[in-house]
Amino acid sequence: MTTDFRSDLDLPPPAAETDVLWFLPTHGDGRYLGSDIGARHVTLGYLSQVARAADELGYYGVLLPTGRSCEDSWVIASAMVPLTQRLRFLVAVRPGLTEPAFAARMAATLDRLSNGRLLINVVAGGDPLELKGDGCFWNHDERYEATGEFLTIWRRLLSGEADVTFKGKHLAIEGGKLLYPPVQSPYPPLYFGGSSEAGHKAAAEHIDVYLTWGEPPEAVARKIANAKAVAAAHGRTFSFGIRLHVIVRETSAEAWKAADDLISHVDEEAIATAQKAFSRFDSVGQRRMAELHGGRRDKLEVSPNLWAGVGLVRGGAGTALVGNPDEVAERMKEYMALGIDRFILSGYPHLEECYRFAELVFPKLPLKRTTGNDLGPARNAGPFGEVIANVVAPSHRKAVSAG
C-alpha cells in the first residue's frame, strides 16, 4: 500500500483488530444484478437462512437496509432475534419518518428482547422523491439539522432522563420519559454515514461509529480525517466503519469472472435508467459513488481489487472487493491502517457469499475475539471441515504436520 497521502492527514490510529458484519437482503437477492434470472423471494425462511448462517459463522452482526424498496427493518429484525444467539442487528431510524420518542421506545424494546444485540443505523435519506413520498419535505441541510435534533431527544430519553423537554427548529418534545430502559448503557450504539459538511456535523455531535462507502483508500482517508477533525472540534471521537460488497473466490481469475457474471444481464438501458434515477439524489455520498464509474463498463476497477460494477444499477454502496482470499484480506488491512475497525459486507447471493467469505477470508483477518455485552466469544473462525477417518480434524492435522 502506498502511504504518501497519509503524511498530511490527521488519521486515527490503525486498527489492530476488526469486526465484520454481513447484510440481510430485504430488498431482494439473486445471482445476477438487474435481472430476474436466478432471483430469490424475500421470505422469512430465506432471510432466516442468511441470519442463521451469519450467526453460526461468527459475524458480529447484520445490516438491515431501509427505504421503500425494502421490507421494514424493525419488523425483520424482530423476527430474526429468536432465531439467532449472538448476532447483532443494525437497524435504521429515519428522522422525519418517525418521532424520536416512538423510535426510542422501539429501540429500548428490541434491545431488551434481544438481550443487548441492537445497533442503530441513523439514516437521513438521500432521494428527495422517495422522501416526499414518505411525507418528509426537508431539503438536504434541513434533514441533517433535524437528524441532530432527533438524536438529541432520542439520546436523552434512552439515557434515562426523567423529564425530557426540547424545542428545536424542526422537532420538539415536552416532558418526555422512557419507562423501560434498554439493556445497553446509555443506549444502543449509533452508526451513521454522511459525506457532506452537514452530515459530518451531525455525526460529530452524536454518533459512535462513522461509516463510509467503499471508495479508494486515499479518498476514504481524506473523508475519515475530515470527520475526525469535525468531531474533535466538538470534543468527541468515534470509531470508523466501511460498507462494501465482496466477491471472493479461491483464485483471482475466478473472482473477476464472478464479477463479470454478476452484471452479465445488465444492459445499457438498465444502466441509463439507474443513473438517471441516482442523478436526482441530493446525497453527496451517492454522487461520489456515481463519479467512480460514470456509468461506464470500461472504468469499473477504480483501485486495486476495488470494483464499481455494483453501482451501475444499485444505489448506495456500489463497490466490491474482488479477488482471491489473500488479495481481499490485504485490501481490508489497508483500510484498517486508516483506522477502520469494522466492515459491513454483502455479496450475491447473500447466503452463499456469507459462507464463502467466512471460510476463505476470516482466517486471514485479525478479528476481534469478543463481541462485548457479556454475550460470549464470537467464533470468527469458520468451520474446521469434516473429521478425517474419525481420528483428527483437518485443522489439527495441518497444525501437527507444520510443527
Side-chain angles (χ1 to χ4, degrees):
M1 172 184 176
T2 60
T3 56
D4 297 345
F5 61 84
R6 291 178 54 94
S7 60
D8 63 338
L9 297 176
D10 182 16
L11 293 168
E17 297 179 312
T18 187
D19 283 320
V20 178
L21 293 80
W22 197 244
F23 184 87
L24 283 187
T26 65
H27 53 21
D29 199 9
R31 295 187 178 277
Y32 305 102
L33 288 177
S35 172
D36 59 2
I37 299 172
R40 300 182 180 181
H41 292 290
V42 179
T43 64
L44 180 64
Y46 181 64
L47 293 175
S48 68
Q49 286 186 67
V50 179
R52 283 170 163 164
D55 193 37
E56 287 293 319
L57 291 165
Y59 286 87
Y60 182 77
V62 286
L63 169 66
L64 291 85
T66 186
R68 66 182 179 186
S69 64
C70 309
E71 299 285 7
D72 182 77
S73 60
W74 288 87
V75 173
I76 297 297
S78 298
M80 297 297 109
V81 161
L83 305 178
T84 54
Q85 295 180 328
R86 286 180 293 269
L87 196 68
R88 285 163 172 75
F89 297 91
L90 182 52
V91 183
V93 295
R94 300 288 303 269
L97 274 64
T98 184
E99 292 296 325
F102 182 58
R105 287 198 292 274
M106 291 170 61
T109 297
L110 189 52
D111 198 49
R112 287 195 308 276
L113 293 181
S114 66
N115 193 27
R117 291 192 281 144
L118 177 63
L119 309 171
I120 298 294
N121 185 27
V122 182
V123 179
D127 181 354
L129 186 63
E130 179 183 355
L131 287 161
K132 290 176 182 177
D134 286 334
C136 180
F137 293 88
W138 293 319
N139 65 33
H140 177 275
D141 287 359
E142 287 173 337
R143 290 201 305 274
Y144 285 106
E145 289 174 350
T147 295
E149 295 178 4
F150 179 102
L151 292 174
T152 296
I153 298 169
W154 188 91
R155 291 172 64 200
R156 289 175 61 184
L157 287 167
L158 282 157
S159 297
E161 289 192 31
D163 184 3
V164 177
T165 298
F166 173 88
K167 184 173 179 58
K169 178 179 176 183
H170 306 284
L171 299 173
I173 188 172
E174 185 175 330
K177 182 178 181 180
L178 186 67
L179 295 178
Y180 307 109
V183 169
Q184 299 178 84
S185 179
Y187 42 75
L190 291 165
Y191 289 56
F192 174 87
S195 298
S196 66
E197 291 185 11
H200 283 173
K201 181 177 184 297
E205 293 175 347
H206 300 283
I207 298 303
D208 302 301
V209 182
Y210 177 82
L211 299 175
T212 178
W213 285 328
E215 300 178 25
E218 182 172 358
V220 170
R222 296 191 181 282
K223 185 188 291 188
I224 286 175
N226 288 339
K228 179 177 180 289
V230 179
H234 287 79
R236 299 186 72 246
T237 62
F238 34 57
S239 58
F240 296 89
I242 191 167
R243 171 79 179 94
L244 286 157
H245 304 281
V246 288
I247 303 174
V248 61
R249 299 293 185 272
E250 293 192 23
T251 70
S252 183
E254 290 175 310
W256 284 108
K257 182 181 183 304
D260 289 338
D261 288 345
L262 184 62
I263 59 172
S264 61
H265 295 283
V266 173
D267 57 28
E268 294 304 315
E269 182 180 357
I271 294 173
T273 299
Q275 297 305 309
K276 181 180 179 180
F278 301 152
S279 68
R280 72 170 182 253
F281 288 21
D282 60 9
S283 163
V284 173
Q286 182 62 62
R287 174 179 55 77
R288 291 169 67 120
M289 281 283 100
E291 288 174 349
L292 290 176
H293 54 74
R296 295 174 53 179
R297 289 177 181 269
D298 61 340
K299 296 177 60 177
L300 295 181
E301 190 174 3
V302 297
S303 185
N305 301 104
L306 185 65
W307 180 72
V310 178
L312 291 175
V313 291
R314 184 196 191 279
T319 53
L321 293 177
V322 181
N324 64 42
D326 289 320
E327 290 169 335
V328 170
E330 184 61 28
R331 298 290 87 78
M332 293 177 70
K333 290 174 184 177
E334 289 175 359
Y335 286 119
M336 291 176 65
L338 305 179
I340 286 172
D341 70 355
R342 66 206 65 197
F343 292 82
I344 303 174
L345 305 177
S346 55
Y348 299 91
H350 287 76
L351 179 60
E352 289 91 326
E353 201 71 23
C354 178
Y355 274 99
R356 189 177 288 117
F357 183 86
E359 292 165 357
L360 296 178
V361 185
F362 271 2
K364 299 179 180 296
L365 293 174
L367 292 157
K368 295 180 183 178
R369 309 311 298 178
T370 60
T371 59
N373 295 323
D374 298 319
L375 293 174
R379 285 185 283 177
N380 278 346
F384 56 74
E386 185 176 2
V387 172
I388 298 173
N390 291 334
V391 176
V392 64
S395 57
H396 298 164
R397 181 184 63 80
K398 182 178 179 180
V400 170
S401 63

